[in-house]
Amino acid sequence: MPGEVSIDHEFISPQNNKFVLHDSKGFEPGEKDNLKIVRDFINYRRAKPDLKDQLHAVWLCFEIPRANGRLLETGVEQFLTSKREGELGDIPIVAVFTKYDTLLDRVERTLDKSSIKGLSQAAIQDIIKKNAEDKLQEVCVAPLEKFAKSAVPHVTVSTNGNHEGTLARLIQTTEELVRNHVGTDASVMTSVAQRVDPRLKIRASIEVGKRKYWKALASSVPFKNRSMWDCLHVLHTDIVNVWNFQDPHGYLCSPEFRTLMTNMVNELDVGPPTDPNKTLSFGLTIVGTIATIVSALSGPAAPIVVPIAASVVIASWVYELYEQTRPALQRFMKYIIDLTLVLQTLVLVAGNQELSRKAIKLAAKSYHESPMNGEVHNRIQEYDRQLTLRQRANRDSLDQIIELLQPYNTSAEEMSDLRGKLPVVDLSSDEPWDS
């Protein structure tokens, strides 16, 4: 409530402890002390030695004003002046124009009905959005830029209705600013904390992987005296942590899910050899999983069956020490890519819901049976077939993982569109792994 908040209080959602919010009282007229409080807080946090205690970005929020409303109060102008004059350092600031849905509603109510007579609903929506953008430029962007004297990044958002894409743009803008002004470590944590944009998750997975594993995989030294299973165990845990699902039961790090992923990877060893003359399709995206998800949900409400029985190869991986060999490199590459794409599919299936085993099994089954899985197998085998032993020993050779992942990145906007094509299904009713 107004007047009750302290900027020092940390708001942390019970469902996502990676994101920490500090809420100021704003700059309401007559609140002369608030500007000093905010300035002091920013500078105090800026001087903290540990990244976890620093402030990474500021969202300066404005409700889109109604007719004749004023965007910038005096306190906001003074705050922007402090930023412009360098008193707040390089802390990224994003102007956030809120309640975009109400702006669209107002524009729609004031439309000249005769001007849209005979138009399709899609054409009418385009006109509404165009008029809303013009109004936004007039009442928000222009006053902000006029006063700030420099480009201030701005994003228009709404949490009501079908406006998930606006939240994705806010996260994307924030992550980019944090990466450019605070550093890669902070931008990785921004990507980990958010649960809107899968592309940022994949970017964070890549950044963590490059630092910890990928370039080291071509040399067995960092994994000396470690079994394949131990190496995959650590790798699996780190990738799952990056995706930051609401998983209070720890299903994604359970022995059953690890076994499921290992069985999927093992198919690379026993599958048919790659046809060197085959032209690979580099444009396949997660759209290919839609058919398999719909197929899995179209029949009676039967349990989802996935291969989680421990196979002979898992038993051997438990005792097999990691060495620089073609099969070992292939396994690691396939595990990294398969796990990443299964988790991306899980975003499509479960969204921000608390995870159930049923949802995880559906995501794994859908990816496993989609054309994407077979193409990933083929591309890894083709890549490995073309390398000489000397190239495999090159520490940079495994950057190919990035190239293998790129065609399958799915944006938040695409994810929202894809989710709209899925039938409604209750994933909260759980089921055993082995059903």
Side-chain angles (χ1 to χ4, degrees):
M1 297 295 294
E4 296 180 3
V5 70
S6 167
I7 196 171
D8 292 308
H9 178 72
E10 294 185 343
F11 288 96
I12 304 176
S13 167
Q15 289 80 33
N16 185 1
N17 62 7
K18 300 291 193 299
F19 178 73
V20 181
L21 173 70
H22 292 265
D23 187 16
S24 74
K25 295 180 181 180
F27 305 115
E28 299 297 330
E31 294 286 351
K32 297 181 180 180
D33 294 334
N34 288 351
L35 178 62
K36 182 177 186 305
I37 290 172
V38 172
R39 281 176 178 161
D40 290 347
F41 176 79
I42 290 174
N43 288 321
Y44 170 71
R45 287 290 179 144
R46 189 156 57 99
K48 286 286 186 178
D50 294 333
L51 182 64
K52 68 180 180 63
D53 298 320
Q54 295 171 12
L55 191 65
H56 301 146
V58 173
W59 288 340
L60 188 59
C61 299
F62 306 88
E63 182 176 343
I64 299 173
R66 297 177 181 271
N68 301 319
R70 181 184 180 188
L71 179 75
L72 302 179
E73 298 291 347
T74 301
V76 177
E77 292 179 346
Q78 293 173 343
F79 178 78
L80 290 172
T81 299
S82 298
K83 173 63 176 173
R84 189 176 66 235
E85 294 179 353
E87 296 176 12
L88 305 179
D90 290 334
I91 185 73
I93 295 178
V94 183
V96 184
F97 304 132
T98 66
K99 300 189 178 180
Y100 177 58
D101 58 302
T102 61
L103 173 62
L104 292 174
D105 290 342
R106 292 201 301 269
V107 169
E108 183 174 9
R109 288 196 300 270
T110 58
L111 273 181
D112 180 356
K113 305 305 179 186
S114 63
S115 67
I116 60 175
K117 188 176 181 180
L119 296 180
S120 67
Q121 189 60 36
I124 295 173
Q125 290 302 313
D126 288 342
I127 292 174
I128 292 172
K129 288 183 179 179
K130 173 63 169 60
N131 290 351
E133 289 302 316
D134 291 343
K135 178 60 69 173
L136 192 71
Q137 181 68 32
E138 174 190 344
V139 302
C140 292
V141 179
L144 178 67
E145 292 182 344
K146 181 179 179 180
F147 183 82
K149 307 298 184 185
S150 61
V152 176
H154 59 270
V155 180
T156 307
V157 302
S158 171
T159 58
N160 293 327
N162 188 26
H163 298 294
E164 186 173 327
T166 64
L167 304 180
R169 286 191 288 277
L170 173 60
I171 294 299
Q172 291 157 2
T173 300
T174 304
E175 189 275 341
E176 182 179 358
L177 289 169
V178 170
R179 178 161 28 92
N180 292 337
H181 295 280
V182 182
T184 304
D185 288 342
S187 71
V188 167
M189 284 310 303
T190 302
S191 299
V192 169
Q194 63 88 28
R195 288 175 173 166
V196 176
D197 193 341
R199 283 185 174 175
L200 291 181
K201 294 294 188 186
I202 290 181
R203 179 187 293 176
S205 294
I206 288 171
E207 184 62 36
V208 171
K210 286 177 67 176
R211 293 183 185 189
K212 298 186 71 173
Y213 315 109
W214 296 3
K215 291 185 179 182
L217 289 177
S219 168
S220 61
V221 175
F223 303 98
K224 188 176 181 181
N225 297 326
R226 300 286 182 179
S227 72
M228 287 288 295
W229 187 253
D230 288 339
C231 298
L232 288 174
H233 190 280
V234 176
L235 181 149
H236 178 108
T237 302
D238 281 355
I239 293 176
V240 165
N241 286 341
V242 165
W243 284 80
N244 188 30
F245 281 96
Q246 191 182 159
D247 184 21
H249 303 290
Y251 290 141
L252 289 177
C253 286
S254 66
E256 292 85 355
F257 183 60
R258 294 176 189 272
T259 301
L260 191 160
M261 292 306 309
T262 307
N263 287 343
M264 195 180 298
V265 171
N266 188 45
E267 294 179 4
L268 180 72
D269 300 326
V270 300
T274 303
D275 179 359
N277 297 316
K278 178 179 179 180
T279 301
L280 298 177
S281 170
F282 288 89
L284 188 64
T285 69
I286 199 172
V287 176
T289 65
I290 287 291
T292 52
I293 295 175
V294 172
S295 175
L297 297 176
S298 60
I304 299 169
V305 180
V306 291
I308 61 170
S311 64
V312 174
V313 71
I314 295 178
S316 67
W317 287 11
V318 169
Y319 298 103
E320 178 184 350
L321 293 181
Y322 177 83
E323 293 182 358
Q324 183 190 343
T325 63
R326 287 183 60 183
L329 292 175
Q330 283 193 344
R331 288 176 192 170
F332 270 99
M333 291 177 69
K334 187 65 168 63
Y335 202 102
I336 289 168
I337 296 171
D338 273 353
L339 179 57
T340 299
L341 296 179
V342 165
L343 295 179
Q344 180 175 244
T345 307
L346 187 56
V347 173
L348 174 62
V349 170
N352 286 320
Q353 301 177 60
E354 180 178 314
L355 291 186
S356 64
R357 286 166 292 196
K358 183 176 181 179
I360 298 169
K361 289 163 64 179
L362 176 58
K365 180 181 178 67
S366 301
Y367 169 72
H368 181 251
E369 295 181 0
S370 73
M372 187 190 306
N373 182 36
E375 184 178 83
V376 168
H377 275 237
N378 283 339
R379 293 181 67 186
I380 290 176
Q381 289 178 320
E382 177 68 6
Y383 164 70
D384 185 74
R385 185 187 65 81
Q386 293 174 351
L387 288 182
T388 66
L389 182 61
R390 183 174 181 179
Q391 286 173 317
R392 285 192 197 95
N394 186 332
R395 288 172 58 86
D396 294 329
S397 66
L398 289 175
D399 283 351
Q400 178 72 12
I401 297 174
I402 300 174
E403 185 176 330
L404 290 170
L405 277 171
Q406 291 305 330
Y408 311 106
N409 276 357
T410 303
S411 69
E413 293 81 4
E414 291 172 324
M415 190 68 73
S416 180
D417 291 341
L418 291 170
R419 195 173 287 125
K421 296 180 173 66
L422 295 178
V424 178
V425 59
D426 180 15
L427 294 173
S428 61
S429 57
D430 211 352
E431 62 187 39
W433 287 109
D434 56 357
S435 60

